[in-house]
Each structure stands twice: as C-alpha cells, then as structure tokens.
Amino acid sequence: MDSKETGTKKYEFKAEVKQLLDILVHSLYTSREIFLREVISNASDALDKLRFESTRGTEITDKDLPLEIKVDFDEKAKTITVTDTGIGMTSDEVIKNIGTIAKSGSADFLKQLKDSKADANNIIGKFGVGFYSVFMVAEEVIIKTKSFKQGEPAIEWRSNGLGDYEIAEIDGSMNRGTIVEIHLKEDAKEFAEKYRLETVIKKHSNFITFPIYLGSEKINTVSALWREPKTNVKKEQYDEFYKFLSYDSEEPADVIHVTVDAPIQFNALMFIPKKSYDFFGYNRDDHGLDLYVRRVLIQHKNKDLLPEYLGFVKGVVDSEDLPLNISRETLQENLVFTKIAQNITGQVLSYLLKKAKDEPEKYAEFWKEHGRIFKMGYSDFANLEKYNELLRFNSSSNEDAKGLTSLDEYVSRFKEDQKEIYYAFGNSREAISQDPHLEIFKNKGLEVLYLYDPLDEFVISTVRKYKDYEFKSVDSVELKNLDKYNDLEEKKDKPADLSQEDGKHFDSLLSRIKDILGDRVVEVKESKRLSGSPAILVNPDDSMSSTMQKILRMTNKDMGAQKKVFEINRDHKLVRNLLKVFKSNSQDEYITNVVEELFESALLLDGSLDDPHKLVTRLNKLLEQSSDLYTEKNKL
Ligand code: ADP
Ligand code: MG
C-alpha cells in the first residue's frame, strides 16, 4: 500500500518470518534478555563490516565517526535505544535483511525451536534470525538507518511485529549507522533500567571488540583475549569468552591457545565444546573459525581454516601477516592463509593426541561427543598418521559396547606373527558376537574390532592400513593366514572324525549341495572356521567386505550381489544327520529343504536376503515336521 502524503510504504513479512515471530512472541518466555545480545551483535557486525570496507579503501559517508555502540534507555517511556556507527542499510537492504529470513534451513530452524523451547537462547543466535528476538520484549520497534554508501538517504522502518512493517525515507541530519529504538511491552519494562542493562551486556556482550557505552560509561572489556600471553589469561576469562563466542551455556571442555611467530605470525584461541551439536543436521553452517587480520574481523566462521571433520572446534584466528584488504573469495589461494590453516589443523590434532595420551578418560568423553564428526576425516591424507592414532573403536577385548580401543592398543595386543587387524561389522555388540564368522577368531583368541557405524566401513576401506598392518574384515579374511594361530583350547563335544569312507560321502554331499544352489554360490566347501554353526557364507579370499558391498549396492542399483563361498561344518550334528540321509538317498527332498534353509539363513545374517517369504514358508514346514517327531517321541 502506498500512501502519498507521507511517502510511507507498507509491507508484509514473509510467511516464515511471521511464523518465527509468532513463536518468539507467544511461546518463549525464558531468557528474553538475549534480545539485547542480538541487537548489540548486529551493531557489532555492522561496525566490523564498516571497518572491513574502510581498510579496503572504499569511500565512506561520515568517515571520521568513531566506531562504537551506544545503549540508552528511558525508564518512564519504557524504551531502549541501541545506536551504532556501522555500515547502516539502504531501503532495499532493510527490506531484504529485516523482512525475510535469508538463510537456508529456516524451516528446520523453526522446527528445532518449537521442539526445544528451553534452548532458545542457544538456537536463536546461531541461525541468523536474531533480530526478531527483539519482539519478545517489544510492542514496537523503530529502526533508523543510514548507509555508508554515499548519497543514500536515511530510512525509517517500524513494526509491531505482528504481520507487517512500514518503511519511509526520513530527512534530517542523521549520521551514518543504525539506531534501533525498542518500545518495551508492559511486562518487559524491567529492562529499561541501568543495573539490569549493565548486567545483561556484561553477561552476553562483554567481548564485543567495539566500545559499548551505557549512557556515558564504557562497560565492556574490548580486549582481544587471543592476543594476550597465555599466562595472563585466567580460566574464567577463557570460559566467558567461549560462551560469548559460541552461545553455549556450558564452559568448554578444552581451550587451545596458540601463538606462533615464525615463519608466519598468528594467534589462535580455540575451544572444544563439551557437547556436540549436530552441525551436519539443522545448523550445518554453524562451524568455522572467525578470521581477523590485525584485529579487524575479515570473516565470521571461515570454513577453510580447519577441515570439516574438526568443525566442532570454535574460536578465532588473528594474523599480522595477511593483507588487510584481502578478499574472502581469494583467501584460499593465499599462501600465508593456507600455511596458517595447515598449522592450525596440526595444532588441534597434536592437542588431541596429547590429550589421548595424558588423559585417556577425558579423551574417551571427547570421542563420545565428537568422534562421529571426527571420523569424517578419513580422507585427510596429509594428516593420516595423526588421524589414525586418534581413531577409537569398540573391540572384542573391551568388556562391553562402551569400551574404546585405539589401533595402537590393538597392535600392542597382537599375537606372535600377527600382521593384520581384524574387524567385524554389525548393529550391536550382541549381533556381532553371535556372527558365525567370529567363531574362529574367538577360538584362537584373536582380537576383533567391532564396528557399528556405517561410516566406519568407509574409514577402514579408505585408510586401509595402520602402520604396516592391513585391515581385514572377518568375512573376507584369508583362512590360511589364520592357520598359524593355535586354538585356545581343544574343541569340546567334537564328534569322532569321519571314517575315510564317510569322508568321501561328505565330499559327494558337498557336490550335491553345489548342485542344489547352482550358481548362487561360487563354491561349496568344508569349513575350517566354524565350531558352533552348521554353515556360513564367506567372501572369496581377499575380496571386499560384505558391508562395503552392501553400501556400494545402495548407491549403485545395477551392482548385483557378489557371489560367495558356502562353507559347511562337517562336525556339526545337523550336517552329520544330513550325511546319513544322503547316504540312504542322495536325492532326498529333505536335503534340498535343509540346504535351502541354511543358505537363506546365511544370506539373512549377511544382510543380503532380498525376500524372506520362501525362507519362512520352508521354516514352517520344517517346524511342522519336527513337531510330528516331538509328539511321537514324547507319546503325546
Ligand atoms: P544475522 O545477524 O545473523 O544476519 P539478524 O536477524 O540478527 O541475523 O539480522 C538480520 C540482518 O539485518 C543482518 O544480517 C544485517 O544485514 C541487518 N542488520 C541488523 N541490524 C543491523 C545494524 N545495526 N546495522 C546494519 N545492518 C543490520
Ligand atoms: Mg544478528
């Protein structure tokens, strides 16, 4: 709507903004004070952007204004005013920046916000929807703003946060920057009070790098903590800075503060949070380090200083050796920047290695929180050695599924002559330990890594080796490589060996089984690895593990299942009975049924049975037969 007399234009908020406002205003009553943090952080961002422009030599309106933030209040009128001398906004920019939610994933954000009201404090700032939080306390907000771009008029924006907003050009002698005038609701008037404002600003905005004045008094610290010598900084200061930086309410698990002077100068102050926030999910952009050059913020959350798998690290990096007028787009091509990035990555990995060595319990806690993300680093070949040393898995030598084993520990427990690291894949510790493939490893007392996360399969198959030792999946291991290890104890309940003649019959039985299964299997042979189970499917020597095959099949539908070797345990009671049936009638239907059942059960365990119907029908038939025998035997 255009009203000619005043030059005022009315606009509707975009649907997602309305939704967000509705939640903010109606369902969030805790931590309302963070509205001030958000308004001040926008002022600070605007000042950072201005400083960035001016270091690049851009022409700027009112270029001699000091870079600062002012907070004023009027208890009687119930207003708070936040003024900055930052870049300001043009009329178009106001519409674009304040009327819409630009960031992707805002739908996710809204959902997240609805689901976890208590955590709003944490979520709001991370999503770049901070400005709207002002409507938690305001019945009306007026923004007056004038862009740093020359010749732009000052603009006034006003809204009650219900459904629309108005924009008008204002004349008069406004300076460059932005004034946010907050008219508090009756139930929020307590914020227009000196002590309250001071407490809130100190709590949430103390580390803003521009001076914040409350009235005429400067109340924040304005020091670049990362440039202080380590010995001067107290734990409380680190904690406070971390909370400021990350919006986390807990203190960090780790502080990594480094100063490097040669060959390249930089300071870095980094933190590892206690808790992992799934940044691959709803807030995937929420990682990266803030990059400063000589204290001037060049980029928030730069994604190239640390690889993504260390994305849980928060912090800032500040260098004297980068040019101030560097553009964000060319950072990655800058040699100094690349060197800094490499160095920082190395620092974080070394820190973790030291922690793993000196404080294994604490490292285990780290792993439980951040291990899932860390594992994504399997393709960081430059740091592979460190990466490998930092990996943790559950293992057969751990007492339960919670235990963790490093590759180094695994190797230290090698049997004599062992050259391979064995691993098995499954949904749980129970599932893996009942897997027939593990029987031979248990009998020989060989340690097996237990992998539960599909990602582990990628880790192992990319890394391939730890030191000189290759990873081998228990379902693709070459059996002859296991011959050299003795069984821990003689197998119990082992039936007498087959006579030479029965041995021959057994070989014929194997051929009969191959006839039944046809080219569904590569080969049918006697198993040397089983003790408790009658039969097993194994991959031909040295081929891909079954899980990897499954993963590949999921991504490539044309890839058929790899054929396997079907191994039969000739000492198993069931097999011995089959042999009796076979000797009396080699074509007995019963043999076919049992073999099909064994084969499909093995496929099922392998996770590659496409359709279980036949298996179940056959199983029911066999159960029926066995019930006949049971009732007969017990004269029922
Ligand atoms: P974010 O700060 O994460 O981008 P906000 O909702 O807090 O999200 O702010 C939205 C946008 O409004 C900012 O990105 C900025 O472009 C603009 N803005 C808000 N406050 C100011 C200000 N004081 N000066 C200049 N621009 C501002
Ligand atoms: Mg903001």
PDB file of all heavy atoms in Angstrom, residues 38 41-42 45 125 128-131, ligand 2:
ATOM      1  N   GLU A  38      21.420  -9.896  20.795  1.00  0.00           N
ATOM      2  CA  GLU A  38      21.237  -9.962  19.343  1.00  0.00           C
ATOM      3  C   GLU A  38      21.324  -8.581  18.696  1.00  0.00           C
ATOM      4  O   GLU A  38      21.948  -8.421  17.651  1.00  0.00           O
ATOM      5  CB  GLU A  38      19.904 -10.629  19.016  1.00  0.00           C
ATOM      6  CG  GLU A  38      19.832 -12.092  19.440  1.00  0.00           C
ATOM      7  CD  GLU A  38      20.955 -12.932  18.858  1.00  0.00           C
ATOM      8  OE1 GLU A  38      21.296 -12.733  17.673  1.00  0.00           O
ATOM      9  OE2 GLU A  38      21.510 -13.779  19.591  1.00  0.00           O
ATOM     10  N   SER A  41      24.886  -7.510  18.899  1.00  0.00           N
ATOM     11  CA  SER A  41      25.750  -8.265  17.987  1.00  0.00           C
ATOM     12  C   SER A  41      25.552  -7.788  16.543  1.00  0.00           C
ATOM     13  O   SER A  41      26.508  -7.744  15.758  1.00  0.00           O
ATOM     14  CB  SER A  41      25.545  -9.773  18.169  1.00  0.00           C
ATOM     15  OG  SER A  41      25.006 -10.356  17.025  1.00  0.00           O
ATOM     16  N   ASN A  42      24.340  -7.395  16.192  1.00  0.00           N
ATOM     17  CA  ASN A  42      24.131  -6.826  14.854  1.00  0.00           C
ATOM     18  C   ASN A  42      24.869  -5.493  14.696  1.00  0.00           C
ATOM     19  O   ASN A  42      25.445  -5.208  13.644  1.00  0.00           O
ATOM     20  CB  ASN A  42      22.642  -6.617  14.587  1.00  0.00           C
ATOM     21  CG  ASN A  42      21.930  -7.928  14.335  1.00  0.00           C
ATOM     22  OD1 ASN A  42      22.577  -8.957  14.125  1.00  0.00           O
ATOM     23  ND2 ASN A  42      20.610  -7.893  14.371  1.00  0.00           N
ATOM     24  N   ASP A  45      28.439  -6.401  14.211  1.00  0.00           N
ATOM     25  CA  ASP A  45      28.650  -6.888  12.837  1.00  0.00           C
ATOM     26  C   ASP A  45      28.711  -5.714  11.859  1.00  0.00           C
ATOM     27  O   ASP A  45      29.544  -5.682  10.952  1.00  0.00           O
ATOM     28  CB  ASP A  45      27.503  -7.806  12.396  1.00  0.00           C
ATOM     29  CG  ASP A  45      27.547  -9.162  13.096  1.00  0.00           C
ATOM     30  OD1 ASP A  45      28.566  -9.454  13.753  1.00  0.00           O
ATOM     31  OD2 ASP A  45      26.553  -9.906  12.990  1.00  0.00           O
ATOM     32  N   GLY A 125      20.617 -17.337  18.201  1.00  0.00           N
ATOM     33  CA  GLY A 125      21.765 -16.625  17.675  1.00  0.00           C
ATOM     34  C   GLY A 125      22.452 -17.364  16.553  1.00  0.00           C
ATOM     35  O   GLY A 125      23.023 -16.752  15.645  1.00  0.00           O
ATOM     36  N   GLY A 128      20.974 -16.751  12.607  1.00  0.00           N
ATOM     37  CA  GLY A 128      20.830 -15.522  11.857  1.00  0.00           C
ATOM     38  C   GLY A 128      19.383 -15.068  11.794  1.00  0.00           C
ATOM     39  O   GLY A 128      18.920 -14.551  10.792  1.00  0.00           O
ATOM     40  N   VAL A 129      18.643 -15.307  12.825  1.00  0.00           N
ATOM     41  CA  VAL A 129      17.291 -14.764  12.900  1.00  0.00           C
ATOM     42  C   VAL A 129      17.196 -13.943  14.169  1.00  0.00           C
ATOM     43  O   VAL A 129      16.143 -13.711  14.713  1.00  0.00           O
ATOM     44  CB  VAL A 129      16.226 -15.877  12.924  1.00  0.00           C
ATOM     45  CG1 VAL A 129      16.159 -16.536  11.568  1.00  0.00           C
ATOM     46  CG2 VAL A 129      16.521 -16.889  13.997  1.00  0.00           C
ATOM     47  N   GLY A 130      18.390 -13.511  14.624  1.00  0.00           N
ATOM     48  CA  GLY A 130      18.487 -12.879  15.931  1.00  0.00           C
ATOM     49  C   GLY A 130      17.652 -11.622  16.080  1.00  0.00           C
ATOM     50  O   GLY A 130      17.059 -11.393  17.131  1.00  0.00           O
ATOM     51  N   PHE A 131      17.591 -10.834  15.036  1.00  0.00           N
ATOM     52  CA  PHE A 131      16.929  -9.550  15.160  1.00  0.00           C
ATOM     53  C   PHE A 131      15.496  -9.677  15.681  1.00  0.00           C
ATOM     54  O   PHE A 131      15.046  -8.914  16.522  1.00  0.00           O
ATOM     55  CB  PHE A 131      16.925  -8.794  13.829  1.00  0.00           C
ATOM     56  CG  PHE A 131      16.062  -7.582  13.877  1.00  0.00           C
ATOM     57  CD1 PHE A 131      16.490  -6.454  14.563  1.00  0.00           C
ATOM     58  CD2 PHE A 131      14.790  -7.581  13.317  1.00  0.00           C
ATOM     59  CE1 PHE A 131      15.671  -5.336  14.662  1.00  0.00           C
ATOM     60  CE2 PHE A 131      13.969  -6.466  13.418  1.00  0.00           C
ATOM     61  CZ  PHE A 131      14.414  -5.349  14.090  1.00  0.00           C
TER      62      PHE A 131
HETATM   63 MG    MG B   2      22.366 -10.950  14.261  1.00  0.00          MG
END
